[in-house]
Amino acid sequence: MSETESTISEARLAANRENAQKSTIPTTPAGKATACLNSLKHGLTGKFLLFANPEEVVLYKAHVKSYETQFQPLGPEECSLVRSIADIRWRLNQIPGLEMTLLAMGRVQFVAQHPAYETRQAETSVELSVRRIHEKELRNLQL
């Protein structure tokens, strides 16, 4: 063994192997299906669109149909492009609602923690505080 190599105890080696098992990609179909949603936060990016309820699926299908009617794609490539345009517009349309929900939830949480701000006069202070607390999320939605 050279001077640059270090020895590792059997206990440490076993712990490293155990930790490695926790961070490896699952190989079962169920594990892969779960893992593909790990980075999901808001549903605006990624491969999949997520719907809160069946009614939203109906609205989405009507939305896509309106784009297909407007652009009348021919062939699989044009169909794919029109679907992409419709998906992007669908996601962009979600942003104002997500932003308002984030701010509303933030207001409720902030006032619960700071009851003195419950008055109407403190509304601007609450708004500013909530925007500061959720600055990163709001910035991401604006991007």
Side-chain angles (χ1 to χ4, degrees):
M1 185 180 308
S2 73
E3 289 181 32
T4 58
E5 291 181 33
S6 65
T7 58
I8 186 168
S9 70
E10 285 299 319
R12 186 68 180 148
L13 186 60
N16 288 349
R17 286 185 179 137
E18 184 179 338
N19 284 336
Q21 288 303 312
K22 294 176 185 174
S23 64
T24 56
I25 298 170
T27 56
T28 65
K32 288 180 181 181
T34 301
C36 78
L37 299 175
N38 281 349
S39 65
L40 178 68
K41 291 184 182 184
H42 43 64
L44 296 176
T45 59
K47 290 182 187 177
F48 309 106
L49 288 173
L50 299 176
F51 302 102
N53 54 55
E55 293 80 24
E56 198 172 23
V57 174
V58 172
L59 291 173
Y60 169 74
K61 287 181 179 180
H63 171 79
V64 171
K65 185 69 176 161
S66 73
Y67 274 78
E68 290 171 346
T69 301
Q70 179 181 353
F71 292 109
Q72 299 181 358
L74 298 173
E77 190 64 29
E78 287 184 13
C79 288
S80 177
L81 290 170
V82 169
R83 173 62 67 106
S84 293
I85 293 168
D87 286 354
I88 290 167
R89 174 48 57 196
W90 180 264
R91 291 171 196 235
L92 289 173
N93 290 346
Q94 305 303 308
I95 292 172
L98 290 169
E99 205 171 27
M100 290 300 106
T101 301
L102 179 63
L103 291 172
M105 288 173 47
R107 282 187 204 101
V108 170
Q109 291 169 351
F110 186 84
V111 171
Q113 293 172 354
H114 306 90
Y117 284 96
E118 197 166 6
T119 65
R120 191 77 173 146
Q121 294 84 1
E123 191 171 314
T124 304
S125 296
V126 171
E127 181 76 16
L128 180 59
S129 297
V130 169
R131 287 185 177 274
R132 283 184 175 162
I133 291 167
H134 295 286
E135 179 183 359
K136 181 179 178 187
E137 293 94 336
L138 291 166
R139 194 174 344 106
N140 286 342
L141 287 173
Q142 290 169 355
L143 287 175

